[in-house]
Amino acid sequence: MYTQSTLCRVFCLEGLLLDRCNTYDDRIDLFVRSPRTHARCPRCAESTDKVHRRAQRSIKHVVCDGKVACLKLTVRNFACRPCHHIFRESIPGIDRRRTSCHFRQSLVPKIKDRSFRSVAAEHGVSASSLIRSVTDVAGEVGVVWPGAPFALGIDEHSFAGRDLAITLTNLTHRRVLAILPDDRKVTLAHFLETMPIQAKNRITALCIDMNQGYASAVREHLPRVPVVIDKFHVIQYCNVHLEQLRRLYTTSRYPLPRKLLERNREDLGREDCRRLEAMFRAYPMIGEMWRLKEWFRALYRLNDRATARKRYDAVLGGLAAETRPRWRAVHGMMERWRVPILNYFDHRITNAYTEGVHTRIKLLKRISYGFRNKQNYIAKMTLAFLPLATLLDHLHSSPSLT
């Protein structure tokens, strides 16, 4: 037979008196009350022991062995003797809701990879209550800055259509730091400006795509941090031009295969090479752009910056004499981002982890059937990528009934 103190520890009833415990097939009823004999009046701050009335509330508190343990809590209304004000006693972790703070916090880890509605239906609570709990926890945890040097990744993803949000990641330790509500320069600049000085000093490099707004915000608030352009975005830039040229020259009678142009040189078979050579003879500009893409891929396989800089400057000088608009645009890109592109050979970082985060975000959005409120969306995604140990440490340190 368990003692009362043991039951209080098992059911997290610190700060309450347990009168009796009834067990049923589908639930556990815990009849509890506050041990305090006096309460302080919120109006005049005087202590009183005069009880005006008693009532019993049923509050879901904890899940134990597949059963929901409900508090049958006896609450008292006190009457203040000096000012005659009637008020209800305050119990930590208990408010006007039909679930305790401990119960709501115990459901938060289950929402990491499930929808609000499914968790709420399983435990008999409302989805809006879970959303409020997740928003509160995400706000309390905040940004978990690493204590060691790290590389910062910045990239955007779609919240809905062209409504974008910025993802900031720790590329070294593979952690999501924050999700910003939009992709504006001022939003990113404000985040970088409010970063702790210790975190700024620990950033070894920063990886972004070819976004002038991001680069400007970084130069303004992190002037000493080297910027690296993600190599996948550089190659994607060439693929975008390839696709534009393919659409320009393709016809319904003679379609040009898109997948063939996107394939890497080492993945081509003998028949693929023959088809490409025929295409390049008919459309020389497509061949030139494809060779530029493969040149960039070969450039990123070099081992030192000096050799990469020589080859890069040689191609940049050759493009300087180009008069064709498309190649002038390519020359402008290479000239504008020359130093950030070459910084890759010093730091060897990419936003591959950030893109993987975006893939998982898309999966979580489908599981949750989409989001309307962006703040709820940010709280859910921040929670989904929060390390479980960090989340549990925060929940255990939060006040429940203590």
Side-chain angles (χ1 to χ4, degrees):
M1 197 66 186
Y2 294 107
T3 62
Q4 187 181 46
S5 60
T6 302
L7 290 175
C8 287
R9 287 195 298 270
V10 169
F11 294 110
C12 304
L13 299 178
E14 291 82 359
L16 291 175
L17 291 179
L18 177 64
D19 293 330
R20 70 178 190 273
C21 174
N22 294 343
T23 304
Y24 302 95
D25 294 336
D26 58 343
R27 73 180 193 278
I28 301 173
D29 288 344
L30 305 171
F31 292 84
V32 296
R33 55 187 171 85
S34 173
R36 300 175 181 85
T37 58
H38 291 68
R40 191 168 298 278
C41 177
R43 177 178 294 177
C44 65
E46 292 291 332
S47 178
T48 180
D49 61 349
K50 182 179 179 181
V51 178
H52 176 70
R53 65 184 291 268
R54 289 180 172 85
Q56 189 178 82
R57 295 182 58 197
S58 180
I59 302 171
K60 294 180 180 179
H61 180 58
V62 69
V63 178
C64 182
D65 194 22
K67 299 179 182 180
V68 176
C70 294
L71 300 181
K72 300 298 182 179
L73 177 65
T74 300
V75 292
R76 296 166 294 180
N77 286 359
F78 284 86
C80 180
R81 297 181 188 275
C83 68
H84 307 290
H85 177 61
I86 298 175
F87 60 95
R88 174 163 290 187
E89 64 179 332
S90 175
I91 300 176
I94 303 293
D95 52 21
R96 292 186 176 274
R97 286 176 278 190
R98 290 176 289 182
T99 56
S100 67
C101 178
H102 184 278
F103 184 80
R104 295 191 297 272
Q105 290 183 346
S106 67
L107 300 185
V108 168
K110 300 182 180 182
I111 310 174
K112 285 174 66 69
D113 55 357
R114 297 174 58 185
S115 66
F116 290 113
R117 190 176 297 276
S118 64
V119 176
E122 178 182 348
H123 296 279
V125 296
S126 66
S128 59
S129 178
L130 285 182
I131 291 174
R132 286 194 298 269
S133 300
V134 169
T135 305
D136 293 341
V137 170
E140 292 170 2
V141 173
V143 181
V144 181
W145 295 108
F150 68 100
L152 180 64
I154 301 176
D155 201 4
E156 68 275 357
H157 68 275
S158 173
F159 167 69
R162 296 186 178 180
D163 188 0
L164 304 180
I166 295 178
T167 309
L168 294 102
T169 57
N170 175 358
L171 300 177
T172 304
H173 307 102
R174 293 178 172 268
R175 294 285 185 267
V176 174
L177 297 177
I179 298 177
L180 305 186
D182 55 64
D183 64 334
R184 296 186 302 163
K185 172 189 170 182
V186 292
T187 304
L188 177 60
H190 175 73
F191 179 86
L192 298 177
E193 182 181 7
T194 55
M195 281 178 60
I197 299 298
Q198 297 84 352
K200 290 183 179 181
N201 295 334
R202 293 191 184 107
I203 300 177
T204 58
L206 190 144
C207 188
I208 61 174
D209 57 12
M210 292 178 286
N211 188 306
Q212 286 284 10
Y214 297 171
S216 175
V218 170
R219 284 195 301 268
E220 181 179 351
H221 298 285
L222 299 174
R224 297 182 180 180
V225 177
V227 176
V228 178
I229 295 299
D230 186 14
K231 67 176 184 178
F232 299 109
H233 283 87
V234 176
I235 297 173
Q236 184 188 36
Y237 177 87
C238 297
N239 281 327
V240 169
H241 279 286
L242 269 176
E243 177 62 14
Q244 292 175 354
L245 290 170
R246 187 193 70 85
R247 292 185 178 182
L248 179 65
Y249 293 117
T250 193
T251 61
S252 58
R253 187 172 183 180
Y254 299 105
L256 301 179
R258 177 171 60 89
K259 294 294 183 181
L260 184 60
L261 291 173
E262 293 178 352
R263 200 171 300 171
N264 299 330
R265 186 193 295 271
E266 61 272 15
D267 298 330
L268 295 173
R270 184 174 300 178
E271 178 62 23
D272 296 331
C273 292
R274 187 191 63 78
R275 295 171 61 193
L276 277 180
E277 289 174 0
M279 186 190 306
F280 296 162
R281 284 195 299 268
Y283 309 104
M285 198 167 181
I286 295 181
E288 293 173 358
M289 188 61 67
W290 186 85
R291 293 185 184 94
L292 178 66
K293 180 198 74 169
E294 291 300 319
W295 177 84
F296 268 117
R297 294 186 63 250
L299 180 75
Y300 281 114
R301 288 195 290 267
L302 297 177
N303 294 324
D304 61 290
R305 177 173 182 143
T307 306
R309 184 179 64 251
K310 290 179 182 178
R311 297 189 181 183
Y312 192 94
D313 291 342
V315 172
L316 189 62
L319 290 175
E322 276 288 348
T323 58
R324 291 173 292 180
R326 188 177 298 274
W327 288 103
R328 293 301 301 167
V330 173
H331 175 265
M333 181 276 294
M334 293 182 63
E335 188 174 38
R336 186 183 315 114
W337 301 105
R338 175 182 177 275
V339 174
I341 289 176
L342 293 176
N343 282 342
Y344 169 81
F345 299 95
D346 292 333
H347 302 279
R348 301 283 177 176
I349 60 173
T350 69
N351 261 332
Y353 171 72
T354 312
E355 297 295 346
V357 168
H358 294 167
T359 301
R360 189 180 175 192
I361 285 177
K362 292 179 182 178
L363 175 62
L364 293 174
K365 286 168 64 177
R366 287 196 295 268
I367 291 175
S368 302
Y369 300 99
F371 290 85
R372 295 181 181 178
N373 187 297
K374 186 175 284 189
Q375 296 303 320
N376 296 343
Y377 165 79
I378 292 175
K380 170 66 181 287
M381 298 308 164
T382 303
L383 178 68
F385 291 96
L386 193 67
L388 187 59
T390 304
L391 177 61
L392 294 179
D393 288 344
H394 170 75
L395 295 179
H396 290 162
S397 63
S398 298
S400 55
L401 290 177
T402 58

